């Protein structure tokens, strides 16, 4: 029996706009991220021999220092100043790997929250957020979850705010044989679009203001049942020419009955379509099942969720 279990949900990007380059070499982004109820689970137990050990039910995932869970554990132990702290970690993977769904980032966030509790560190939300940002650009969002604007390199979070997540359904698809490296996607974006990047903070802020006041936020908040605007992901145009499964998957999803919007998530290659309800997403998934299977896609139906990583 594990001492603790933490759920680590995936996210999709409802908006991903590349604004420019930052002095630290990362891209300045304006995004809307949304947690969905497809989650990995991380079980944690104490070890008194000071070792940090990770096991995973997927053999193709590294369980050494390359894994964000192990990085999070080492960062937290270092921050605590207690070199003798140890943990046994066991990851059950449900989120597809290398898909643009922040699976690895969410696992890292789950390790921070779980080990903070297991080791009785009580670091507090602000310090956990700081450590999360050190681990990766999407990790702070994974801690908080829900529907949020994410600015800066992704770590500057602003509430949308919504009373509750919209009751929409998500049909998520991914070709299991395809994956995209995030550094590659941003590097390619810079090579193709770098000449048109914005440079001044005043111009970044103007784009943030447009997003804050825009039609996507109104549709998410259910204002007068406004329709969803087309979703924007600047990395989609970069990844699409390189990934046949992104082209064929987008075409399939666009033809699905009842689709409100279709996009790639993050740096891909996972793709999603939004529907007014989970039932409609499931009906579309059933109708497309043959075509998805012939195209080599795995598919999931899920809902928006209002929270990030959580104990339990
Ligand atoms: O922060 P994270 O480790 O997730 O970023 C992975 C890579 O993605 C970075 O090394 C960088 O190449 C690219 N990236 C970027 N701008 C961002 C986020 C990520 O260029 N805002």
């Amino acid at each position: 029996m594990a001492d603790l279990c933490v759920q680590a949900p995936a996210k999709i990007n409802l908006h991903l706009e590349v604004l420019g380059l930052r002095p630290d070499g990362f891209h300045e982004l304006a995004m809307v991220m949304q947690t969905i109820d497809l989650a990995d689970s991380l079980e944690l137990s104490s070890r008194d021999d000071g070792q940090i050990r990770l096991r995973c039910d997927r053999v193709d995932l590294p369980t050494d220092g390359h894994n964000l869970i192990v990085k999070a554990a080492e960062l937290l132990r270092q921050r605590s100043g207690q070199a003798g702290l140890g943990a046994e970690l066991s990851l059950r993977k449900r989120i597809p790997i290398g898909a643009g769904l922040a699976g690895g980032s969410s696992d890292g966030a789950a390790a921070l929250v779980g080990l903070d509790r297991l080791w009785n560190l009580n670091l507090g939300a602000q310090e956990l957020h700081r450590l999360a940002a050190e681990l990766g650009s999407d990790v702070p969002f994974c801690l908080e979850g829900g529907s949020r604007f994410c600015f800066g390199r992704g770590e500057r979070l602003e509430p949308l705010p919504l009373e509750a997540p919209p009751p929409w359904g998500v049909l998520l698809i991914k070709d299991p044989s395809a994956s995209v490296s995030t550094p590659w996607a941003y590097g390619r974006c810079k090579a193709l679009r770098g000449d048109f990047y914005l440079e001044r903070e005043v111009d970044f802020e103007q784009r943030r203001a447009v997003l804050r006041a825009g039609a996507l936020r109104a549709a998410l908040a259910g204002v007068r049942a406004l329709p969803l605007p087309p979703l924007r992901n600047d990395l989609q145009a970069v990844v699409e020419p390189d990934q046949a499964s992104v082209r064929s998957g987008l075409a399939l999803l666009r033809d699905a009955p009842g689709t409100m919007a279709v996009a790639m998530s993050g740096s891909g290659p996972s793709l999603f379509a939004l529907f007014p309800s989970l039932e409609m997403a499931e009906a579309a998934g059933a109708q497309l099942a043959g075509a998805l299977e012939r195209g080599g896609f795995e598919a999931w139906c899920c809902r928006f969720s209002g929270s990030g990583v959580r104990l339990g």
Side-chain angles (χ1 to χ4, degrees), residues 17 19-20 22 26-31 137 150-157 208:
E17 190 176 344
L19 302 181
R22 301 154 49 93
F26 281 76
H27 283 83
E28 183 73 28
L29 305 174
M31 303 189 283
S137 307
C150 306
F151 299 127
R153 62 184 172 89
E155 88 293 7
R156 266 180 57 193
L157 309 181
R208 291 180 202 121

Side-chain angles (χ1 to χ4, degrees), residues 101-166:
L101 298 169
S105 298
S106 196
D107 296 344
L112 284 180
V113 168
L115 291 171
D116 179 63
R117 173 68 71 88
L118 189 76
W119 291 338
N120 288 316
L121 301 177
N122 298 315
L123 290 184
Q126 210 178 342
E127 182 62 4
L128 285 180
H129 186 285
R130 193 189 67 73
L131 295 174
E134 208 172 307
L135 282 174
S137 307
D138 287 345
V139 185
F141 171 79
C142 294
L143 275 183
E144 304 289 329
S147 322
R148 287 180 198 268
F149 295 114
C150 306
F151 299 127
R153 62 184 172 89
E155 88 293 7
R156 266 180 57 193
L157 309 181
E158 284 182 24
L160 228 45
L162 307 178
E163 272 174 28

Side-chain angles (χ1 to χ4, degrees), residues 36-112:
I36 55 174
D37 63 358
L38 171 69
D40 295 341
S41 31
L42 182 67
E43 292 187 343
L44 307 93
S45 301
S46 293
R47 285 180 71 108
D48 46 23
D49 61 0
Q51 290 200 50
I52 290 165
R53 286 272 179 83
L54 172 64
R55 283 180 292 137
C56 179
D57 60 356
R58 285 275 304 254
V59 287
D60 50 342
L61 204 69
T63 51
D64 59 7
H66 291 95
N67 192 298
L68 267 184
I69 293 173
V70 176
K71 285 188 185 165
E74 281 165 356
L75 188 64
L76 207 59
R77 183 164 66 176
Q78 192 185 19
R79 165 69 180 73
S80 76
Q82 302 177 54
L85 292 174
E88 185 79 30
L89 302 144
S90 175
L91 177 65
R92 174 149 182 231
K93 203 72 203 153
R94 293 189 196 87
I95 306 171
I97 299 166
L101 298 169
S105 298
S106 196
D107 296 344
L112 284 180

Side-chain angles (χ1 to χ4, degrees), residues 271-289:
L271 309 165
F272 65 90
L274 299 181
F275 297 84
S277 67
L278 179 65
E279 292 70 29
M280 288 183 75
E282 285 170 345
Q287 189 159 332
L288 289 182

Side-chain angles (χ1 to χ4, degrees), residues 274-304:
L274 299 181
F275 297 84
S277 67
L278 179 65
E279 292 70 29
M280 288 183 75
E282 285 170 345
Q287 189 159 332
L288 289 182
L292 289 172
E293 199 183 329
R294 281 192 297 282
F297 289 99
E298 287 181 347
W300 298 261
C301 289
C302 41
R303 286 195 172 94
F304 284 15

